[in-house]
């Protein structure tokens, strides 16, 4: 309906349309975000309308988005291409043919988890991270580590190429970061409450410092815009700053 009622009339009125997108949900805090199926249906619609080109604004690290950007680029060149064939070929080359089935299951798991939240709420881009958080942490990412890590561990056992193993370890480290983020979010509510225990605050400090070390590592390697992550945390009222938590401990 959106294609028929919105895009086609606009195309008829102006003659040429370009599509602008935040492909991985800008301001997603570097958390796992894979959506091959969404890309598939998006370009199917764009191809029907005859979009002339696309422009993307994506600050998320490759560690968190995997093959998303590659799929966007391939489909932008040929919106009518067989995305399933492109996707499978990319998985095989990126992670190894034997590891690919397990990585695909993990990516599918993440996409389904995020879709669960997206289907449960009306997402307004104007509200930015304030609309996505804490919803994503409560609905999509809670429990993702326990469900997803077995797939990645199995994939790691199948991969023999050093570069493929390195890419798998990037996914594993990112999922650990996701787990720490969810645990810290749950804990911060107790820590910032009226009567937190010393043990709760110490655990929160540990998680916050581990998260921040991961982000700094990616930023130093040029794989992450650290400033964007911190802006999102602040905008979503997440008390993830180790300094604030250590001050709470001192108090």
């Amino acid at each position: 309906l959106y294609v028929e009622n919105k895009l086609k009339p606009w195309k008829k009125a102006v003659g040429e349309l370009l599509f602008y997108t935040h492909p991985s949900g800008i301001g997603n805090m570097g958390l796992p975000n894979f959506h091959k199926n969404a890309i598939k249906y998006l370009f199917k619609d764009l191809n029907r309308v005859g979009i002339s080109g696309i422009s993307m604004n994506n600050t998320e690290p490759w560690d968190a988005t995997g093959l998303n950007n590659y799929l966007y680029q391939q489909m932008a060149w040929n919106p009518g291409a067989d995305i399933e064939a492109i996707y499978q070929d990319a998985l095989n080359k990126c992670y190894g043919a034997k590891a690919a089935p397990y990585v695909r299951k993990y990516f599918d798991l993440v996409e389904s988890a995020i879709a669960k939240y997206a289907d449960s709420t009306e997402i307004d881009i104007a509200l930015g991270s304030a609309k996505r958080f804490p919803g994503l942490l409560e609905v999509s990412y809670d429990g993702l580590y326990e469900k997803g890590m077995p797939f990645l561990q199995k994939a790691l056992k199948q991969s023999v190429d050093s570069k493929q193993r390195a890419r798998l370890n990037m996914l594993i480290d990112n999922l650990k970061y996701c787990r720490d983020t969810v645990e810290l979010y749950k804990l911060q509510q107790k820590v910032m409450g009226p009567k937190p225990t010393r043990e709760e605050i110490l655990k929160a400090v540990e998680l916050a410092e581990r998260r921040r070390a991961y982000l700094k590592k990616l930023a130093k390697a040029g794989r992450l815009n650290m400033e964007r992550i911190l802006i999102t945390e602040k905008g979503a009222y997440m008390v993830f700053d180790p300094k604030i938590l250590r001050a709470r401990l001192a108090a």
Side-chain angles (χ1 to χ4, degrees):
L1 290 177
Y2 186 79
V3 171
E4 299 298 328
N5 298 336
K6 299 289 185 180
L7 295 184
K8 285 188 175 181
W10 268 108
K11 176 71 183 298
K12 183 177 180 179
V14 301
E16 183 178 42
L17 285 182
L18 301 177
F19 181 73
Y20 173 72
T21 180
H22 300 289
S24 292
I26 191 168
N28 197 44
M29 296 203 298
L31 296 163
N33 196 337
F34 312 107
H35 49 267
K36 181 267 297 179
N37 288 320
I39 296 171
K40 175 181 178 179
Y41 294 122
L42 168 66
F43 278 95
K44 181 179 179 180
D45 286 344
L46 295 182
N47 196 35
R48 285 173 55 201
V49 178
I51 298 294
S52 301
I54 68 170
S55 176
M56 300 192 304
N57 184 354
N58 186 14
T59 61
E60 297 302 306
W62 191 91
D63 311 60
T65 60
L67 298 171
N68 286 1
N69 286 352
Y70 177 76
L71 293 179
Y72 270 100
Q73 292 164 8
Q74 291 295 313
M75 297 306 293
W77 281 110
N78 183 6
D82 182 357
I83 191 173
E84 294 295 340
I86 294 173
Y87 185 54
Q88 189 59 55
D89 179 65
L91 285 170
N92 291 343
K93 291 177 179 176
C94 194
Y95 303 107
K98 292 183 179 180
Y102 298 108
V103 177
R104 183 166 191 151
K105 288 180 180 179
Y106 170 60
F107 285 178
D108 287 345
L109 176 68
V110 175
E111 181 165 17
S112 296
I114 295 175
K116 180 181 178 182
Y117 173 66
D119 291 342
S120 69
T121 185
E122 182 179 343
I123 298 179
D124 185 350
I125 191 63
L127 295 177
S129 59
K131 190 71 175 179
R132 287 190 292 280
F133 296 104
L136 281 170
L137 297 178
E138 294 173 334
V139 178
S140 298
Y141 294 122
D142 190 15
L144 182 65
Y145 176 87
E146 290 75 13
K147 296 176 182 177
M149 187 55 72
F151 292 134
L152 296 181
Q153 293 291 359
K154 290 178 181 177
L156 197 61
K157 292 179 181 179
Q158 301 295 326
S159 185
V160 293
D161 181 283
S162 60
K163 292 182 179 180
Q164 293 168 350
R165 290 182 65 85
R167 296 185 192 107
L168 282 168
N169 279 314
M170 290 166 69
L171 298 179
I172 289 173
D173 289 345
N174 184 254
L175 185 53
K176 291 178 179 177
Y177 160 76
C178 179
R179 174 201 59 194
D180 290 346
T181 301
V182 171
E183 289 184 10
L184 181 56
Y185 165 71
K186 292 179 179 179
L187 199 54
Q188 74 164 19
Q189 299 176 74
K190 297 180 181 179
V191 168
M192 302 311 291
K195 295 181 179 180
T197 66
R198 178 179 175 82
E199 290 73 20
E200 288 171 340
I201 302 177
L202 284 171
K203 181 62 177 178
V205 170
E206 176 189 349
L207 289 170
E209 290 181 339
R210 196 159 66 204
R211 281 187 76 256
R212 196 57 63 87
Y214 169 78
L215 293 173
K216 287 181 178 179
K217 177 182 176 181
L218 265 60
K220 185 177 181 180
R223 304 201 319 250
L224 174 76
N225 186 327
M226 184 80 169
E227 183 180 358
R228 288 298 318 170
I229 301 292
L230 299 182
I231 289 174
T232 299
E233 290 180 6
K234 183 178 180 180
Y237 303 105
M238 301 294 178
V239 186
F240 289 169
D241 189 337
K243 293 181 180 179
I244 294 177
L245 295 169
R246 282 196 292 269
R248 182 65 167 153
L249 180 63

